[in-house]
Amino acid sequence: MPQYTLGLDYGSDSVRALLVDVSSGEELASHMVNYPRWTQGLYCAPDIDQYRQHPLDYIESLVEVVNALWQKVPAGTAENVIGMSFDTTGSTPVAINEEGTPLALTEAFSDNPNAMFVLWKDHTAIAEAAEITKAANQNDVNYLAYMGGIYSSEWFWAKALKVFRQDANVKAATYSWVEHCDWMTALMCGTTHPKHLTLGRCATGHKVMWHESWGGFPPNEFFTKIDPLLDGVVDTLNASTKTSDQVAGHLTSEWADKLGLPKGIAVGYGAFDCHMGAVAANVKSGVLTKVMGTSTCDITVTSPQELGDTCVKGICGQVDGSVIPGMIGLEAGQSAFGDLYAWFKNVVLWPTRQLLDASDDSQQALLSTLEDNILANLSKAASELPVKTSDITALDWVNGRRTPDADQTVSMALMGIKMGAEAPHLFKALVEATAFGSRAITERFEQEGVAINSVVVIGGISKKSDYVMQTCADIWNCPIDVLESEQSCALGAAIMASVAAGYHKSVAQAQAAMASPVCKQYMPNPERAQLYNALYAKYQTLGAFVSGEKA
């Protein structure tokens, strides 16, 4: 009798469910559901970098996406599911009350954005992140030593402090905070109450300042010195964190009924999407896995012996067991990748959207066609342009800089625009900027002694755009392997679920049976690689100017 695991991948805009055969790795079915409130733009204010998501979006979409799977597979398939696991974007925390309920799920806070999940891309806490960084670097023990040395506005404590400062009512009602991946896991197991809540190693190590060398989290006095509003929060967190191959609990009767799954199946500890994606990509020492979507997340692993006492500067953390048990997981990434292309698409389409009649079906059909095809057309036109050292140079910092050296105050810039520049020239510069930003990350790893010998990419962009991928290969000057799976992050979650459920004895065994093969490889063009070295130097010069390193 075949057995299956379920991987749930919560992205920025939607949730994907993937059903996988644990013995063969066959992907039986997948489904995707957009978050309804998020799709309407509710609770967000892009002009101030505020991005919030209602927990009901997560809950309702989960029920819809899982039940849709059963319409795509033979009757009775769900009865053979033995485990499930979650991955989510991060850091995406939420304030909870003493019962472990997100405040937005209570009547008093149902429409309050500060009571909702604060999405990773919310950058309202820049000042708070700077204060945390300063406090850590001035402390006898630097609690950011294993987090790249800089705390980000995208992360847990900065977001919690910002909300507390902004909203006294939310502060008064808050008992603790929890990451999205940990809360979804606990919700399935009925363990959301803080006294029962155990946290996954991935989120806590990379975003919440957990490290075994100081016994878990920094002490309460560290946080109260930053601001008394944080008093007591850290003491509500369980310092006994778990890796994603372990079982967090078992599916409750309530959720089994809602999802059409067997009661009591294993639920593995959750992790961030990129970390699970790296599992599906067979990540190992020397291999960098890049999840390329709205942003990028770059993951590699190394052994404790290889890394030694090195604390890699300017990345998003190095955590024992955050990806593969027994290995140090290292995370970096860019705050905008596909988001930069989407921004340009919206700029180019703005006049058309204003001119077309919203009540005219034929005009709206035309607009829809334009929206669906404009980036492909721009890519084709850009790919036909020659690469010259005099080309427009752009920065990829439209949503700030995640790594190397987190700084959400920096902005995108363009240099070298002349009257002859048309939309394809600008788009070409933006694509090159995203590839340059990624190259800077790889170079930082190498400068810090972490070898990167090859690159494996996953995510939507890797499948949708030959132009983007070939540009990356030329700029990185290395081969790029693209995974076959369309849902690599969900596949990684399903792989971890198979270990938590006891079917596979180790992550390595599960990967051997279930990990995704490579479907395509991009090779660098040596001539273009040489030209891009010169353009990359211009990117670095422009970046130094914009960030104030040079007058």
Side-chain angles (χ1 to χ4, degrees), residues 93-128:
V94 70
I96 58 174
N97 63 19
E98 290 186 357
E99 300 300 315
T101 302
L103 297 187
L105 291 180
T106 65
E107 184 176 355
F109 296 100
S110 60
D111 288 315
N112 185 336
N114 291 322
M116 299 174 190
F117 283 89
V118 185
L119 190 64
W120 65 269
K121 67 191 289 183
D122 187 298
H123 291 162
T124 55
I126 291 174
E128 287 72 18

Side-chain angles (χ1 to χ4, degrees), residues 127-207:
E128 287 72 18
E131 291 175 50
I132 294 169
T133 299
K134 181 179 179 181
N137 288 323
Q138 292 179 344
N139 199 60
D140 291 340
V141 176
N142 188 342
Y143 294 115
L144 297 180
Y146 300 98
M147 298 179 71
I150 303 171
Y151 206 76
S152 170
S153 63
E154 294 184 349
W155 298 350
F156 184 97
W157 290 108
K159 291 177 174 181
L161 181 54
K162 176 66 176 181
V163 167
F164 282 172
R165 286 175 171 176
Q166 189 172 325
D167 198 319
N169 291 328
V170 167
K171 162 59 184 169
T174 298
Y175 176 75
S176 187
W177 284 75
V178 64
E179 283 283 353
H180 184 195
C181 59
D182 291 323
W183 185 74
M184 294 304 305
T185 299
L187 184 65
M188 297 299 100
C189 304
T191 56
T192 55
H193 195 288
K195 72 178 181 181
H196 302 305
L197 183 61
T198 302
L199 307 175
R201 177 72 52 81
C202 178
T204 50
H206 284 281
K207 313 301 181 189

Side-chain angles (χ1 to χ4, degrees), residues 192-475:
T192 55
H193 195 288
K195 72 178 181 181
H196 302 305
L197 183 61
T198 302
L199 307 175
R201 177 72 52 81
C202 178
T204 50
H206 284 281
K207 313 301 181 189
V208 198
M209 303 174 77
W210 179 94
H211 197 269
E212 58 187 349
S213 67
W214 44 74
F217 302 100
N220 187 55
E221 53 266 29
F222 170 76
F223 294 103
T224 56
K225 285 180 181 178
I226 298 169
D227 194 313
L229 287 172
L230 291 174
D231 186 25
V233 175
V234 71
D235 294 331
T236 68
L237 304 178
N238 186 344
S240 179
T241 62
K242 304 294 182 181
T243 53
S244 296
D245 60 319
Q246 299 185 58
V247 60
H250 298 88
L251 190 65
T252 65
S253 297
E254 176 189 0
W255 277 102
D257 289 344
K258 289 180 178 179
L259 302 178
L261 286 166
K263 173 189 174 184
I265 64 170
V267 182
Y269 282 95
F272 291 144
D273 46 8
C274 49
H275 297 71
M276 290 295 199
V279 172
N282 268 322
V283 68
K284 54 183 176 287
S285 291
V287 177
L288 183 68
T289 302
K290 296 184 67 67
V291 183
M292 300 172 72
T294 55
S295 64
T296 73
C297 197
D298 301 355
I299 300 292
T300 190
V301 297
T302 187
S303 69
Q305 294 75 25
E306 288 176 302
L307 192 62
D309 296 329
T310 299
C311 292
V312 181
K313 298 175 184 176
I315 65 168
C316 303
Q318 54 193 72
V319 181
D320 189 0
S322 65
V323 183
I324 304 293
M327 300 288 283
I328 306 295
L330 299 104
E331 177 190 341
Q334 293 162 269
S335 293
F337 204 92
D339 263 356
L340 182 53
Y341 311 154
W343 167 81
F344 187 64
K345 168 185 170 179
N346 289 331
V347 170
V348 172
L349 283 176
W350 186 88
T352 304
R353 288 170 172 157
Q354 304 307 307
L355 291 171
L356 293 182
D357 186 348
S359 63
D360 188 318
D361 290 343
S362 63
Q363 291 191 26
Q364 289 306 299
L366 172 61
L367 177 59
S368 179
T369 300
L370 289 172
E371 290 177 334
D372 290 342
N373 293 288
I374 190 167
L375 289 183
N377 290 337
L378 283 168
S379 294
K380 183 178 184 301
S383 70
E384 295 169 354
L385 296 172
V387 178
K388 307 189 301 296
T389 57
S390 59
D391 283 345
I392 297 169
T393 302
L395 297 178
D396 54 310
W397 301 340
V398 72
N399 200 23
R401 184 180 64 225
R402 180 178 296 163
T403 49
D405 304 320
D407 187 348
Q408 303 305 335
T409 67
V410 297
S411 302
M412 177 192 158
L414 289 157
M415 178 176 71
I417 300 173
K418 296 285 190 178
M419 287 293 290
E422 297 181 334
H425 296 88
L426 294 171
F427 184 69
K428 173 177 173 290
L430 300 186
V431 171
E432 290 166 352
T434 54
F436 289 146
S438 182
R439 176 171 166 172
I441 292 169
T442 301
E443 290 186 352
R444 174 58 61 87
F445 276 128
E446 293 171 340
Q447 291 161 2
E448 294 288 310
V450 179
I452 302 296
N453 303 316
S454 62
V455 178
V456 178
V457 299
I458 59 181
I461 291 173
S462 67
K463 291 295 192 68
K464 294 175 183 177
S465 179
D466 286 332
Y467 169 61
V468 172
M469 297 313 304
Q470 186 59 54
T471 301
C472 287
D474 294 341
I475 288 175

